[in-house]
């Protein structure tokens, strides 16, 4: 038999396939909408976390205990912050958001609330001498 004769489906089978395809697409769309509605954006979840956790997740790799593994003099210790003219929560927030020198900004990762939470926590730690807890 010619291949064109074999590829012809009866109308009932064609209709069944169309219904199944549409049904599957509808179910897939409903699942996607439910996931989007139930899962908050990453920055919203981070913004609700406290500054210590955000610092641990995003900053401690280079700034462990307020130090700096890349540039020894650019630490988060109070004396270094004062020497660099960034001894305030607002100045720390600006650097965390936009970055400075070799450090890139984290505004997109942390979100506005996250930047503020990290800056407040870093400023508190700097004033307390970065106690190890």
């Amino acid at each position: 038999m010619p291949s064109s004769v074999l590829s012809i489906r009866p109308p009932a089978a064609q209709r069944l396939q169309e219904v199944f395809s549409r049904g599957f697409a509808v179910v897939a769309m409903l699942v996607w909408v439910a996931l989007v509605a139930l899962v908050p954006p990453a920055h919203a979840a981070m913004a609700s976390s406290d500054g210590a956790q955000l610092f641990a997740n995003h900053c401690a790799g280079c700034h462990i205990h307020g130090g700096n593994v890349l540039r020894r003099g650019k630490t988060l210790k109070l004396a270094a912050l004062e020497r660099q003219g960034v001894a305030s929560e607002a100045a720390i927030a600006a650097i965390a958001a936009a970055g400075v020198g070799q450090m890139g900004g984290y505004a997109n990762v942390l979100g506005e609330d996250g930047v503020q939470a990290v800056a407040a926590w870093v400023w508190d730690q700097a004033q307390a001498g970065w106690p190890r807890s």
Side-chain angles (χ1 to χ4, degrees):
M1 290 178 116
S3 62
S4 61
V5 174
L6 292 177
S7 65
I8 299 174
R9 293 187 184 164
Q14 253 182 337
R15 179 71 183 134
L16 184 61
Q17 183 180 6
E18 289 171 9
V19 168
F20 178 76
S21 294
R22 285 187 194 141
F24 180 76
V26 168
V27 169
M29 181 61 83
L30 290 174
V31 168
W32 182 81
V33 168
L35 287 174
V36 168
L38 294 175
V39 177
H43 65 78
M46 284 187 234
S48 66
S49 298
D50 66 338
Q53 188 62 51
L54 289 171
F55 184 88
N57 291 347
H58 301 286
C59 312
C62 292
H63 293 289
I64 186 85
H65 301 296
N68 188 327
V69 298
L70 298 176
R71 306 269 320 265
R72 232 179 310 177
K74 301 282 186 174
T75 70
L76 301 175
K77 312 279 177 154
L78 187 57
L81 294 173
E82 289 171 343
R83 186 173 55 252
Q84 296 165 41
V86 291
S88 73
E89 190 176 318
I92 295 167
I95 291 172
V100 65
Q102 292 177 328
M103 181 183 133
Y106 286 82
N108 290 340
V109 174
L110 298 173
E112 181 63 30
D113 292 341
V115 166
Q116 295 304 321
V118 168
W121 188 81
V122 166
W123 182 238
D124 288 345
Q125 294 300 300
Q127 290 178 316
W130 282 90
R132 294 180 187 225
S133 50

